Amino acid sequence: MSPSEQPSARRLQRAGCWVVGLILAIVIVIFLARNIWHGEELQEDQARGGANVTQHTGKSYD
């Protein structure tokens, strides 16, 4: 690519910011969706009596 065809430094910086912002947004959406899904699963488990999260019991090595 000749120097006249190369994008300016400012334009490259803006493109880099967009890419980083897009990746960050994807990570945040995945994190929030996973937390919502986990909350629903936990609620279903508690409704069936399968999850007891009010007490912490350690591993039993008996």
Side-chain angles (χ1 to χ4, degrees):
M1 200 181 273
S2 69
S4 63
E5 294 176 356
Q6 291 181 349
S8 68
R10 175 105 172 130
R11 189 172 180 148
L12 288 174
Q13 184 181 11
R14 287 184 62 197
C17 287
W18 273 104
V19 169
V20 169
L22 184 63
I23 291 171
L24 197 61
I26 290 171
V27 168
I28 289 171
V29 167
I30 290 171
F31 178 77
L32 290 175
R34 185 155 170 88
N35 277 335
I36 291 169
W37 169 80
H38 183 260
E40 291 173 354
E41 289 290 316
L42 185 61
Q43 203 170 29
E44 289 175 10
D45 288 347
Q46 286 176 335
R48 285 182 290 174
N52 185 6
V53 295
T54 57
Q55 296 178 1
H56 177 73
T57 56
K59 292 183 179 180
S60 176
Y61 296 105
D62 293 335

